[in-house]
Amino acid sequence: QHIVTPTFPMQSQYDSWQTGNVMGAPDFGVDAVTTQNRFGTNLTSLVKADFLTLKQHGIFLDSCHHHCGAWNGPEIDGMLISNALLEWYNKGSPVQPN
């Protein structure tokens, strides 16, 4: 609600640095899966409620367990990060058409 500049973050729903250092999740086992799933669900809910309600924004939110360095690794519906960013940038949005 406070970010008005059109923004397109590229983020993992299960960021490996955040789950280990922010959430304190263990690296393996049932507790790790439970904590990481809870973290991903919470992040997705926050993105939908606080970010995607503003039409000028877009996001590439993948569900892989990584931190940075995944440029064009994950795909969502067959689309790579670079293609998603380019499409969002070229097409603009209802609020900020190009």
Side-chain angles (χ1 to χ4, degrees):
Q1 68 195 28
H2 301 289
I3 302 172
V4 294
T5 302
T7 307
F8 190 89
M10 296 163 276
Q11 175 67 38
S12 170
Q13 189 178 18
Y14 306 101
D15 186 288
S16 59
W17 187 89
Q18 292 181 13
T19 55
N21 293 287
V22 175
M23 296 295 295
D27 290 335
F28 54 87
V30 175
D31 289 340
V33 172
T34 300
T35 301
Q36 289 172 8
N37 283 336
R38 191 176 302 133
F39 181 84
T41 300
N42 186 47
L43 176 67
T44 302
S45 296
L46 289 171
V47 164
K48 286 179 179 178
D50 296 338
F51 188 74
L52 291 180
T53 55
L54 301 173
K55 296 181 186 222
Q56 71 266 31
H57 301 308
I59 190 168
F60 192 94
L61 184 64
D62 69 76
S63 60
C64 299
H65 191 241
H66 66 87
H67 178 74
C68 298
W71 182 255
N72 279 340
E75 292 182 25
I76 298 176
D77 295 332
M79 187 171 286
L80 297 170
I81 294 172
S82 61
N83 300 114
L85 176 60
L86 184 64
E87 186 172 312
W88 174 81
Y89 181 80
N90 285 334
K91 288 184 178 179
S93 69
V95 175
Q96 192 121 17
N98 289 346

